[in-house]
Amino acid sequence: MSYSLQNKIILITGASSGIGHACAIACANAGAKLIVTARRLEKLKALAESVDTDVYPVQCDIRDKNAIQTFINELPPEWQNIDILINNAGLAAGFGPLHEGKDDDFDLMIDTNVKGLLYITRNVVSGMVKRNKGHVINIGSIAGHEAYANGTVYCATKFAVNAINTALKKDLLGTNIRVSSIDPGMVKTNFSEVRFKGDKARAEQVYAGMQALTPEDIADAVLYCATRPQHVNVSDMIVLATAQVSATVTHREN
Ligand code: 8X3
């Protein structure tokens, strides 16, 4: 029997836009209650207004380990039993050969995509272990399977997410906790604009002449994964646009 999300508590990081926002809408439509985090509280409040379910918005930066620990430890009792954690928060900062990269960009990506994911996962999973139930869904990337030029550090962080996904599953073997990774290729969000530091024209070029995935496509995959019967774990799902066959090979019209 498929797993119902009705009244389940789902924590989504980076829920203010893109894939995280689309996951929040999809989970709300499936009847879940949402804890949503992001750095921009006003975006989370707007999200809360737009859905017909209980939402607990939390302004936080997942790089801040003390803030993460306090937030999880001090959740109101009715929000404490988190059923599903969707580790979505992450970014690429900068694009170019490693020797031309900036230390601050390296820190931002590693601290968010790897360390932040670890902090929140450890704090949430310790409760899941006590309850012997739960599901961690990591948003990885094709970049966690295939490293490409000019993306060394970003790819390294997504390889790390891949490793965390695999090892966490092994740590939790024998419990009823599921661990999954959804690994997208090109998704049309503000991802490239962030990577190119606000250069919208350059970001547009990334998706030119092809139909990239949408955030809703990935939310759909997350929903599929979350609603499988409890004995089924979607371990790792790579999702690419039809016009993309690898991290670097795409077909474009014109
Ligand atoms: C985002 C996909 O291919 O730009 O993780 O690295 S890609």
Side-chain angles (χ1 to χ4, degrees):
M1 205 172 83
S2 70
Y3 183 76
S4 168
L5 299 188
Q6 194 68 39
N7 292 322
K8 297 297 189 307
I9 298 177
I10 302 184
L11 192 167
I12 304 168
T13 65
S16 58
S17 66
I19 294 171
H21 187 271
C23 287
I25 302 289
C27 292
N29 289 342
K33 300 176 184 176
L34 308 177
I35 303 171
V36 287
T37 80
R39 285 173 292 180
R40 295 170 295 179
L41 187 61
E42 70 283 3
K43 295 260 182 192
L44 296 177
K45 285 185 173 162
L47 166 65
E49 290 292 314
S50 72
V51 293
D52 188 19
T53 189
D54 294 344
V55 180
Y56 188 84
V58 182
Q59 179 174 31
C60 73
D61 185 332
I62 62 166
R63 292 176 295 171
D64 184 342
K65 62 181 160 201
N66 294 325
I68 293 298
Q69 189 161 14
T70 304
F71 139 56
I72 298 297
N73 285 346
E74 296 183 358
L75 279 170
E78 65 274 24
W79 287 101
Q80 282 176 7
N81 295 342
I82 296 165
D83 294 290
I84 300 176
L85 166 64
I86 301 178
N87 275 324
N88 165 71
L91 80 168
F95 187 77
L98 183 73
H99 61 275
E100 292 174 8
K102 295 188 169 56
D103 291 345
D104 285 350
D105 288 343
F106 298 173
D107 289 344
L108 179 58
M109 288 186 276
I110 293 168
D111 290 351
T112 307
N113 302 5
V114 183
K115 291 166 70 180
L117 182 144
L118 288 169
Y119 300 147
I120 196 141
T121 302
R122 181 173 62 77
N123 282 284
V124 173
V125 167
S126 62
M128 289 179 171
V129 168
K130 284 188 194 114
R131 297 185 294 279
N132 193 25
K133 66 176 191 168
H135 194 170
V136 178
I137 302 177
N138 295 307
I139 305 298
S141 172
I142 183 70
H145 296 266
E146 202 187 327
Y148 51 82
N150 300 313
T152 303
V153 178
Y154 178 71
C155 293
T157 67
K158 289 300 182 175
F159 268 77
V161 173
N162 189 343
I164 293 163
N165 191 66
T166 303
L168 180 63
K169 205 169 7 225
K170 292 177 177 175
D171 284 344
L172 295 172
L173 183 65
T175 73
N176 291 322
I177 302 165
R178 298 187 277 183
V179 183
S180 307
S181 191
I182 305 294
D183 300 343
M186 291 163 67
V187 184
K188 196 161 185 203
T189 62
N190 66 357
F191 174 85
S192 293
E193 200 180 319
V194 171
R195 168 174 259 175
F196 300 137
K197 312 286 176 73
D199 186 337
K200 286 187 198 300
R202 194 174 172 200
E204 276 297 317
Q205 280 308 307
V206 172
Y207 312 107
M210 64 171 288
Q211 187 172 357
L213 299 170
T214 65
E216 290 73 25
D217 293 325
I218 301 307
D220 197 31
V222 168
L223 208 64
Y224 173 80
C225 171
T227 55
R228 289 315 83 212
Q230 278 192 280
H231 69 286
V232 178
N233 182 46
V234 178
S235 191
D236 203 340
M237 187 196 286
I238 297 175
V239 187
L240 302 179
T242 306
Q244 180 176 19
V245 288
S246 77
T248 54
V249 179
T250 53
H251 172 75
R252 296 173 195 264
E253 301 291 334
N254 302 314

